[in-house]
Amino acid sequence: MLPKLVIVESPTKARTITPFLGSDYEVEASVGHIRDLPQPSELPAEMKKGPYKKFAVNVEDGFDPYYVVDADKKKKVAELKRKLKDADELYLATDEDREGEAIAWHLLQVLDPKVPVKRMVFHEITREAIVRALDATRELDTRLVDAQETRRILDRLYGYEVSPVLWRKIGPGLSAGRVQSVATRLVVERERERMAFRSASYWDVSGEFTGGRGETAGTAFNARLTSVGGTRVATGRDFDDVGQLKGRTGGVVHLDSAGAHGLVEALGGASFTVSSVETKPYTRRPAAPFTTSTLQQEASRKLRMNSRAAMRTAQSLYENGYITYMRTDSVTLSTEAVSAARRQAADLYGAEYVPEKPRVYANKSKNAQEAHEAIRPAGDHFRTPAQVAKALSGDEFRLYELIWKRTVASQMSDARGSTASIRMQAGTTAEITSATAGTLATGTTAEFSASGTVITFRGFLAAYEEGKDAGRYEDGADAAAKGEDKGASRLPDVREGDGVANGPLTADGHETSPPPRYTEASLTAALEERGIGRPSTYAATIGVIVDRGYVLRRGQALFPSWLAFSVVRLLEEHFGSLVDYDFTASMESDLDRIAAGSQDRVEWLTQFYYGVGDAPGLSGLVNDLGDIDARDINSIPVGDGITLRVGRYGPYLEGTGADGTALRASVPEDVAPDELTTERARELLETQSDGDIELGVDPATGLQVVAKNGRYGPYVTEVIPDPPAAEEPAAPAGGTDGAAKPKRKKAPAKAKPRTGSLLQSMSLDTITLEQALQLMSLPRVVGTDAEGVEITSQNGRYGPYLKKGTDSRSLTSEEQIFDITLEEALAIYAQPKQRGRASATPPLRELGVDPVSEKPVVVKDGRFGPYVTDGTTNATLRKEDEVEAITPERGFELLAEKRAKGPAKKPAARKPAARKPAAKKPAAKKAPAKKA
């Protein structure tokens, strides 16, 4: 009996489901997509001149795409075809989303099976789920395939039309994308707000009070001044971004230092009385189970994992059968999962922690994708973190624990308690004068407030509490104004009219804060709230804008590079609709309609590319760009006559000195845009100008030696004068009609100046001419060995070293470059050659035995970064793979992908082309002479 062939995406997934299927099934992995749209240069020769030549998509005939099998997947495709010949049935078991459906469709097109084909889907990898999936196979969903194909074509058109404009006007290698450009714009706009922000100062008063009845008598608590004379005291949220009080908050008292300190003195001996006591019941409900977006946000807040690492870890947990599918917009749980969560909550916390009825959650996302279930622990019976602790470690364990807690908590009871607010008043004992608050007469009422929440039943908080991003108005004054003073202690039992004793009062000064920078968590939330893109792609999107250099990290915060300012400005001014938030969200809704079958794919692409009526499409926008001033696009005024320009080698400042001298200075990478004030820019121009620092004249050559700042750091060089310009040959007498134009003499080539990078111990401020001449003299000849081979000392990218022929040896210090002797050099060469800069080091990690090669797998540090190896196959770790957190499964997967690609092909040696006799060209016809 022939086996049934089951194809999944990853080797890990294949290995996990194999035991559940038995010997009648053979499971193979496609290792992701097997084909895609090629680069135009990769098209067959006959197609490079046709309608597919620009995009590999025929925009003139139904936006028909042309696909090719990826070069590194041809071996895998051949292997799958061989397996299929020996099978009597094909199961396509790729993921249950649009991407997975598209992979299955491509497999179907390429393999062209002659046996029955079934689409098998599951959202968790457990024995029960696999058995259910075998009994509930279906046909391929072509509507999902259409939606994914439309998305792929759309992104190709967008990128290939807009990116070349960025190359021409800003710099090579830049890219634009439907979601990445909008995400970059969000980060840039936030930085613009911070740059325009002007802080305002305000003051308040706080103090410690004592009071209470019965058992609470003598209880101390903190309170803050909230009103003066019946008018609320201004807090940070009452000021706008230019430091002025908002119009709608004109009825507030703006305290300055004099006013606040005056109140402290005038209330020092006052008698405070409770003016009101308010108690309200407190109820808090648990958060819904995780979606892709909320998982990324919480992993960022609680585990300090970036989006890419969170999704990589979640995928590993899914493929190894620990959680359900991790790409989902749904917050619903299956009946079995609800029962498992309720049962586990009751067992661990008690029956009173589980509500009478199961909780039901509804999606709030604008574009909740079809499918699946919320992310939860896999199975009809959840494994606790303690039960998986031996199998999981590092990020995998921490993320599983987070998912388990969130899932169980989502089916637990509300947290309950009470919130109390106390207000106390006293009259001032003296007149107070303030420049911002005016004059406050003696006897003016000052009111202090205190609030606190007492939890009487923790409910779901016993298992899990959702994190939140830092808000803009989080100081004590703002919290107290909203009744959100989370730091308040338990309040005493008091009644209206009771007296309270006041301790020392304190005047506190504050500055308003600019809008907080995005973190990965808050940027993900902003994209989802606006309905831009898919949560399942946010990790990749953020990874792209960081990798491209548009967005930089500072701890958890994200801020834009100056390059991003240029890119966003060009897009806003010339492709405004493409980076409009509402337009981008509407495109996502249109793609959902294509997936639902209510929108025709070709009709929608036609409207997007060619436009509708007077509204131009993408093609029209690109063709009618007009003139774009590249210099203007890449210029940002800083102030005081200083301009920042985005150049090919990074951002730099241009301005003039006090004497009118033109100044220019590079902008350090660690200076964020909102930190480049006029004062800081002037300081950079005056202290780090890129102008030459003259060190003196080389006595041997007579050339001027200068030091300067370069793209790769400070260096010294010699100034070689330009050679004389080539003379223009005189035209022959009588003009040039009918005669060959005389050839211009080629200008002599300019000699290449000697240069030398400064050593780490040197600086531009202290370097001398003698030191500069030493640096320019490198490499230094140390001597020759017994065979007459020359040994030199040099300063390289990786530090100082010796070189003898092709044999290089590292030196331990920069000083050795100039003072190492021949004997010392020969002694170094007499030692066995070491790999790298030190002796062989032990592996960074041991991952266990590879299931394919059956050899031990370790993580090592190589010249190009860490990599995994089984001694035969090496695979470099990706950017998102961390040495400390990589799991054995991830290591085995990287090796499997590398094996699937096969050995790198060596370029074929070029044979010299056979010379053919030159074909005779017909003589060019001369134009008839003009008549006089």
Side-chain angles (χ1 to χ4, degrees), residues 795-801 810 837 863-864:
N795 189 26
R797 181 180 179 184
Y798 302 105
Y801 67 100
S810 298
R837 302 184 64 79
R863 181 180 178 187
F864 302 106

Side-chain angles (χ1 to χ4, degrees), residues 285-503:
R285 293 178 173 80
F290 279 133
T291 62
T292 301
S293 172
T294 54
L295 176 64
Q296 291 175 24
Q297 293 173 51
E298 279 292 83
S300 175
R301 298 183 191 114
K302 291 183 177 292
L303 307 181
R304 293 294 186 262
M305 294 174 67
N306 62 47
S307 299
R308 187 182 278 175
M311 291 306 293
R312 173 72 66 187
T313 306
Q315 180 156 346
S316 176
L317 289 173
Y318 163 67
E319 292 180 344
N320 284 284
Y322 289 100
I323 64 170
T324 53
Y325 191 54
M326 66 288 165
R327 293 188 180 92
T328 175
D329 299 331
S330 175
V331 293
T332 61
L333 293 175
S334 67
T335 304
E336 294 81 6
V338 169
S339 298
R342 289 170 60 84
R343 184 168 55 249
Q344 205 155 62
D347 291 344
L348 294 172
Y349 303 103
E352 68 274 19
Y353 282 82
V354 181
E356 291 184 6
K357 295 181 179 180
R359 292 186 180 276
V360 178
Y361 296 92
N363 283 317
K364 296 181 180 179
S365 175
K366 289 183 180 181
N367 295 317
Q369 189 175 348
E370 71 295 316
H372 326 141
E373 197 181 340
I375 303 170
R376 61 168 176 84
D380 297 341
H381 301 274
F382 299 161
R383 287 168 284 185
T384 65
Q387 290 172 323
V388 301
K390 291 184 178 179
L392 299 177
S393 61
D395 285 347
E396 285 191 335
F397 176 80
R398 295 193 302 147
L399 193 63
Y400 179 84
E401 184 181 39
L402 190 72
I403 294 168
W404 178 85
K405 286 180 176 180
R406 176 89 165 216
T407 306
V408 172
S410 73
Q411 290 299 318
M412 292 175 67
S413 300
D414 294 342
R416 297 189 295 273
S418 61
T419 298
S421 298
I422 301 176
R423 295 180 184 273
M424 301 152 292
Q425 293 181 349
T428 56
T429 59
E431 183 178 273
I432 302 165
T433 302
S434 164
T436 55
T439 300
L440 303 177
T442 303
T444 300
T445 301
E447 184 175 75
F448 284 71
S449 299
S451 63
T453 298
V454 177
I455 303 296
T456 57
F457 176 69
R458 287 181 58 76
F460 75 91
L461 292 176
Y464 178 83
E465 182 173 5
E466 185 178 32
K468 70 170 188 175
D469 295 311
R472 182 175 181 181
Y473 306 106
E474 299 240 326
D475 59 39
D478 283 291
K482 291 186 67 182
E484 296 177 350
D485 194 354
K486 303 300 183 185
S489 58
R490 189 164 187 145
L491 298 178
D493 179 14
V494 294
R495 302 284 189 274
E496 189 173 331
D498 287 358
V500 290
N502 63 298

Side-chain angles (χ1 to χ4, degrees), residues 794-812:
Q794 308 186 33
N795 189 26
R797 181 180 179 184
Y798 302 105
Y801 67 100
L802 293 172
K803 187 172 184 181
K804 183 179 72 168
T806 58
D807 190 358
S808 300
R809 303 293 176 96
S810 298
L811 294 173
T812 57

Side-chain angles (χ1 to χ4, degrees), residues 543-612:
V544 166
I545 62 179
V546 170
D547 292 345
R548 292 283 183 184
Y550 297 152
V551 172
L552 307 172
R553 301 181 194 271
R554 180 177 289 176
Q556 292 284 303
L558 303 174
F559 67 94
S561 64
W562 291 107
L563 175 66
F565 276 76
S566 294
V567 170
V568 169
R569 181 183 172 190
L570 186 150
L571 294 175
E572 287 175 336
E573 293 183 3
H574 300 279
F575 298 95
S577 62
L578 297 185
V579 289
D580 179 80
Y581 301 132
D582 293 336
F583 177 76
T584 306
S586 70
M587 280 200 294
E588 205 62 50
S589 299
D590 292 342
L591 292 168
D592 286 340
R593 284 194 289 274
I594 293 172
S598 58
Q599 172 72 57
D600 181 71
R601 178 179 72 90
V602 175
E603 178 185 357
W604 187 85
L605 283 170
T606 302
Q607 293 174 357
F608 171 77
Y609 190 67
Y610 290 109
V612 181

